[in-house]
Amino acid sequence: MKTLLLAGFAALALVPSTAIARPMTAVDLASMKRIGAPVASPDGRWLVYQLRETDLAANRGRIDLWLLDLSRPGAEAVRIASTPEHNEHDPKFSADGRALYFLSGQSGSEQLWRVELPSGTPQRVSDVAGGISGYLLAPSGDRVAIWTDRDISCRDAACADAPEAPEGQGSARTYDETFVRHWDSWETPGAFSRIFTYPLVDGRLQGNGTPVAPGLRGHAPTRPFGGGEELAWSADGRTLFFTLREAGREEPNSTNLDIYAAREGQAAENLTPANEAVDTAPAVSPDGRWLAYTAMARPTYEADRLVIHLRDLQTGAVRPLTQAWDRSVGSMAWAADGRSLLVTAQDVLDTPLFRVDVRTGAVTRLTESGSVGNVTPLRDGSIVYTLNSIEAPDDLWLLPRRGGAPRRLTSVNAALLAELDPVAVGRFSFAGAGGDRVWGQIVKPAGTSGRLPVAYLIHGGPQGSFNNSWSYRWNPRLFSAPGYASVSVDFHGSTGYGQAFTDSIRQNWGGAPLEDLRLGLAAAGRADPQLDVANSCALGGSYGGYMVNWIAGNWPDGFKCLVSHAGILDTRIMAYETEELWFTEWENGGVPWDPAVRATIERWNPINFVQNWRTPMLVIHGERDFRIPYSQSLAMFNALQRQNIPSRLVMYPDENHWILKPQNSIQWYREVHNWLQRYLQPGAGPTMGSGAGAGERGR
C-alpha cells in the first residue's frame, strides 16, 4: 500500500513561512482553562458547566461554575455560586430546574450545596463527616445518593457504630489479601467507597444516610477512575443501579465489574452475574422502561470491546445492541425521546459522536474530526457536547435537532490561542506489520521552512492512541513548538480500528508494534519530505516507555536520543510488582511462574538487551506510581550510568503514573525539550522553560 498523505495536511503546509505570533510554551499549556461537566436544566434553557483555571503561584487549579442561557444565541456565560478560595464543581439541576446543586469545600470538607437560580445565595445542605466524594440526585427530586469512604462495618454514613482502633498498634499496615495498594495510594483494610442514600426535604439531606447494599464488599464507584457514570436512578427514584467489583483475594486478578439494582428495603440484586467480564455504565431510558449498559465479553482483559446491552426492566430480558459494530463504546447517554442512544467511540484517530437506534442498532455518525465528550442531550432533541483536537482544547458546542452545522457555545481559551503560532496537522497511512493498514499523524509549526527534526511519540496503553485530541500531558502541539515535527503511529494494539487490531498486541509487545514503528517513521518521511527522520528522538510513557527501552536494545541505531517516562525495564518483575495483576497476566498469557508464560515474557523483555544500549536516554518517573513502580526507572538509570551512556534521571516524589501538578508539568517539559535540543538541534530553537505533564490513562 502506498503512503497516503491526506489533502488537509497538504493544504495546511502551504501557509506562508512567517511566524504569526510566538511558539507555544508549557506555561501556556498549564495555564489553559479546562471546561467540563456540562448539565442542562430540565426545560433546556440553562446550561451550567465547570471551568478550571490554573493558579501557577499556588501550584493548583481552581474550579468555578458558569451559567449560560441557551435561549439567547450569543449569550455570555456568567460565573455563579463561586468563592475565591474554594472549588465549586459537579453541578446538577434539581428535578424542577429551579435550583442547582454542587460540591464545594468551603466549609472545610467537600459538602453538597444548593443555590436557587438564577441568582440566589448558596446554602450548604449536607454535613457528612469527612466529606462527600460524589453524588447523584434522584429524578423524583426527593432523595440523593452520595458516596464516600467508610469502613464496611459502618451502618450509616455517620459511622458511630464502627469499632475503635486498638491503641499502641504501631505504624505498620497489615493485610491478609490484595489489593495492598492501587494506582497511587495504599488501601485501608475494610474501608471502601460506599454509597448512602438520603431523603431530601426542602433541598436538604436528612438523617445519617442509609447504606446501599451493606452486605457487599467492594468499591462503588469502582477504583481508581470510576465516578457518577457508574450510577443511575430508576425513573421513579426508588431503585439505584450501580457498578461494583466484589473485593477479596481475587480482586487484582479480576475485571468482573457487575451492575446491581438496590431498591429501598430490599437486598441488592446482581443483574449481570453470568458475565465474568466488565459490565458498567448503567443508564435508564427517559420512560423508565430500559436499562442500557456496556459490557465486555472476555474476563481479565481491560481493553476488550465495550458493547451496549439493553435490559427490559419489566421482563428482565437482555439483548446486545451494538454487537455488529466493531467499535468500543466510550460514553453513552439517552436521547431525550428515548429512541436512540448518543455514544462516543474512537474511530481512526478521531472520537466522534454517534447515534445508535434503540430498535435496530443502526449507527449514524454525527460529528466529523476531533474528540467529543461530555454529551448532554437537551429536551428539544439538540445535543451539547465538548469538542477538542490537536489544535485546541475543549469548548462547548451545540448540535441542532434538525440538522444544520454545529454551533460553538464557548471559546474559553480564544485569547491565549490567538497569541500562538498555528500548527499544521496531517495524517498518513502505510502497510505495517503483516501488510495491515496503519495510521499516523504529523504535527508541525505551520509555514516553517527547512528540515525539521522529529519527536517520535509512542503512546501508552498499550491499547491506546495518540489520536486527534488535546492532552494536558503528552501534547503533540507543544512538542513541535520549538521547531520539531511531532510524529505518532497507531501501531498494532491501538484502539479505533476494530477489536482484532487492538487484540493483536497480546503476547507480541516487541514484535508487530516495533515493526510498525520502524515502517511508520520511514512512511512519515515519505509523506512529508520536510521531516528529517534521521535526526529524531523517540519518546514514550508507560507502555510507550517500555517500547523506548525495547528500542534501546533492539533498534539502537534508530535515534539520536530517547525519553522513557514510567517505562518498564523488566516485564517479569513488573508482573509481580504491579497492582492490577489481570493486566500483565492477560498480556503475557498467564502467571509469570508458568514456564510457557515465562518464555513469552523473556522474549519481549527489555532487560535482556541492556548490553546493546548506547543511545542517550532521559528517564522520568513518579514515586507514587504503583501501576509501574519507580524502581523500574531506577534500574534503567543504573544500567545507563554503569555503561557510561549519557543519561539523566528525573524523579517526582509527589506524582503518580501521571505528572499532574502545574509546576511539575512545567519542569517535565523543560527537561524533555532541553534533552531534545541537546541531541537534535544544538543551539537552535528556544530552551523551554515551561510545560505540562506526562502519562496516559492506566498503562
Side-chain angles (χ1 to χ4, degrees):
M1 181 182 298
K2 293 183 178 180
T3 299
L4 172 66
L5 179 63
L6 294 189
F9 182 86
L12 285 170
L14 297 177
V15 175
S17 58
T18 56
I20 295 175
R22 62 172 176 82
M24 179 180 173
T25 72
V27 168
D28 296 324
L29 184 64
S31 302
M32 285 182 177
K33 300 172 182 178
R34 309 186 190 188
I35 199 168
V39 290
S41 59
D43 62 3
R45 176 182 177 182
W46 299 105
L47 185 75
V48 173
Y49 58 88
Q50 65 185 42
L51 189 69
R52 173 188 148 161
E53 299 179 76
T54 301
D55 184 341
L56 286 177
N59 199 25
R60 67 182 181 92
R62 274 209 67 258
I63 303 175
D64 290 314
L65 300 179
W66 292 75
L67 178 69
L68 180 64
D69 188 347
L70 293 177
S71 68
R72 295 192 299 113
E76 294 288 332
V78 295
R79 204 186 309 256
I80 182 174
S82 295
T83 55
E85 298 301 322
H86 303 94
N87 293 329
E88 289 77 31
H89 56 99
D90 290 281
K92 293 177 177 62
F93 280 93
S94 62
D96 61 11
R98 297 177 180 176
L100 183 77
Y101 290 85
F102 60 93
L103 291 177
S104 174
Q106 61 179 287
S107 65
S109 63
E110 292 291 318
Q111 299 293 338
L112 193 61
W113 290 68
R114 184 177 185 270
V115 61
E116 296 285 338
L117 294 176
S119 57
T121 300
Q123 302 290 327
R124 181 164 59 88
V125 297
S126 75
D127 187 18
V128 178
I132 294 172
S133 300
Y135 71 102
L136 186 67
L137 299 170
S140 53
D142 62 350
R143 62 187 57 206
V144 61
I146 66 103
W147 53 96
T148 186
D149 287 359
R150 288 292 183 269
D151 191 275
I152 195 67
S153 63
C154 295
R155 296 180 182 176
D156 57 31
C159 220
D161 59 319
E164 294 183 4
E167 296 182 3
Q169 65 179 7
S171 63
R173 303 181 183 95
T174 57
Y175 301 90
D176 296 303
E177 60 187 22
T178 50
F179 283 114
V180 168
R181 57 185 189 174
H182 200 181
W183 186 244
D184 61 3
S185 61
W186 290 85
E187 294 289 294
T188 301
F192 300 95
S193 175
R194 297 180 58 194
I195 304 171
F196 298 85
T197 59
Y198 289 79
L200 280 177
V201 178
D202 295 328
R204 295 179 176 272
L205 278 68
Q206 304 295 310
N208 290 326
T210 301
V212 172
L216 292 176
R217 296 178 72 250
H219 293 292
T222 60
R223 294 284 178 86
F225 301 116
E229 76 285 352
E230 294 187 351
L231 284 78
W233 282 102
S234 61
D236 64 4
R238 292 299 176 264
T239 302
L240 184 69
F241 303 96
F242 62 94
T243 303
L244 179 141
R245 177 179 55 222
E246 288 201 68
R249 187 176 301 275
E250 294 303 313
E251 188 181 10
N253 314 321
S254 169
T255 59
N256 187 17
L257 278 62
D258 282 310
I259 295 174
Y260 291 81
R263 190 166 181 86
E264 187 177 12
Q266 300 179 15
E269 177 189 2
N270 187 346
L271 301 182
T272 58
N275 184 24
E276 296 183 357
V278 169
D279 300 286
T280 191
V284 177
S285 62
D287 64 3
R289 173 71 183 272
W290 302 97
L291 177 71
Y293 63 94
T294 58
M296 296 181 181
R298 288 172 285 184
T300 76
Y301 184 21
E302 66 177 12
D304 199 12
R305 182 165 61 111
L306 281 164
V307 174
I308 297 175
H309 289 66
L310 288 178
R311 180 186 182 92
D312 188 326
L313 292 176
Q314 294 181 2
T315 67
V318 177
R319 64 182 174 94
L321 184 64
T322 57
Q323 188 66 46
W325 186 37
D326 195 11
R327 291 294 182 266
S328 186
V329 172
S331 68
M332 175 178 61
W334 283 92
D337 61 8
R339 297 177 181 177
S340 62
L341 286 156
L342 304 171
V343 309
T344 61
Q346 289 187 11
D347 185 43
V348 188
L349 296 173
D350 292 310
T351 305
L353 175 64
F354 298 89
R355 186 186 300 278
V356 180
D357 185 271
V358 170
R359 185 177 61 85
T360 66
V363 178
T364 304
R365 183 166 175 165
L366 301 180
T367 63
E368 297 301 325
S369 62
S371 292
V372 169
N374 296 291
V375 178
T376 306
L378 302 185
R379 188 179 69 171
D380 67 355
S382 55
I383 307 163
V384 171
Y385 57 91
T386 54
L387 179 67
N388 67 71
S389 67
I390 287 174
E391 290 92 337
D394 274 319
D395 268 307
L396 287 166
W397 291 74
L398 185 142
L399 185 67
R401 175 188 178 186
R402 299 186 182 280
R407 174 165 60 93
R408 179 192 287 268
L409 298 176
T410 63
S411 299
V412 296
N413 289 294
L416 178 54
L417 290 169
E419 298 179 12
L420 307 180
D421 290 335
V423 291
V425 181
R427 301 180 180 187
F428 64 98
S429 70
F430 59 95
D436 293 336
R437 191 183 198 194
V438 176
W439 285 88
Q441 293 185 123
I442 300 170
V443 182
K444 64 181 184 180
T448 55
S449 59
R451 303 297 299 283
L452 295 177
V454 173
Y456 201 26
L457 307 180
I458 305 172
H459 73 68
Q463 296 86 3
S465 172
F466 268 124
N467 55 10
N468 183 19
S469 64
W470 187 263
S471 173
Y472 286 100
R473 297 192 297 271
W474 288 73
N475 187 289
R477 178 170 180 168
L478 182 54
F479 274 110
S480 71
Y484 304 113
S486 299
V487 176
S488 60
V489 165
D490 274 358
F491 47 80
H492 279 76
S494 299
T495 49
Y497 306 91
Q499 194 59 42
F501 192 83
T502 300
D503 293 346
S504 64
I505 199 170
R506 188 189 188 202
Q507 297 179 271
N508 191 25
W509 272 29
L514 180 63
E515 184 177 353
D516 290 340
L517 289 167
R518 283 179 180 269
L519 295 169
L521 186 60
R526 295 192 300 271
D528 184 357
Q530 189 177 18
L531 273 58
D532 185 0
V533 296
N535 187 26
S536 60
C537 182
L539 311 88
S542 198
Y543 170 84
Y546 158 89
M547 180 51 70
V548 166
N549 301 336
W550 182 250
I551 284 170
N554 292 273
W555 189 7
D557 58 349
F559 299 94
K560 290 188 175 180
C561 66
L562 301 170
V563 178
S564 177
H565 172 91
I568 303 169
L569 173 65
D570 188 340
T571 50
R572 184 177 67 88
I573 293 301
M574 166 70 177
Y576 287 95
E577 287 186 338
T578 192
E579 12 85 287
E580 293 179 350
L581 299 177
W582 68 74
F583 171 71
T584 56
E585 292 177 14
W586 174 270
E587 294 297 323
N588 296 323
V591 293
W593 50 87
D594 183 310
V597 175
R598 186 181 303 172
T600 298
I601 290 174
E602 297 305 332
R603 181 183 182 187
W604 307 119
N605 196 344
I607 204 168
N608 294 330
F609 301 90
V610 170
Q611 68 276 8
N612 297 338
W613 288 10
R614 57 176 178 266
T615 310
M617 186 186 296
L618 175 64
V619 181
I620 314 176
H621 219 121
E623 288 185 29
R624 295 176 59 193
D625 185 355
F626 300 154
R627 184 65 34 99
I628 299 175
Y630 71 87
S631 55
Q632 295 271 336
S633 284
L634 290 179
M636 271 182 260
F637 188 60
N638 285 340
L640 290 159
Q641 290 281 300
R642 190 67 181 85
Q643 297 182 85
N644 295 316
I645 299 170
S647 50
R648 182 175 175 86
L649 176 66
V650 180
M651 187 68 67
Y652 290 93
D654 54 347
E655 298 284 7
N656 55 35
H657 199 55
W658 301 337
I659 307 301
L660 300 175
K661 293 181 172 61
Q663 295 291 357
N664 288 346
S665 297
I666 290 169
Q667 182 188 31
W668 190 94
Y669 263 105
R670 181 172 62 243
E671 292 284 351
V672 170
H673 273 115
N674 285 346
W675 194 255
L676 293 176
Q677 182 186 10
R678 177 178 177 182
Y679 290 101
L680 298 187
Q681 214 175 15
T687 297
M688 301 300 290
S690 49
E696 73 297 314
R697 187 191 186 283
R699 309 296 169 188

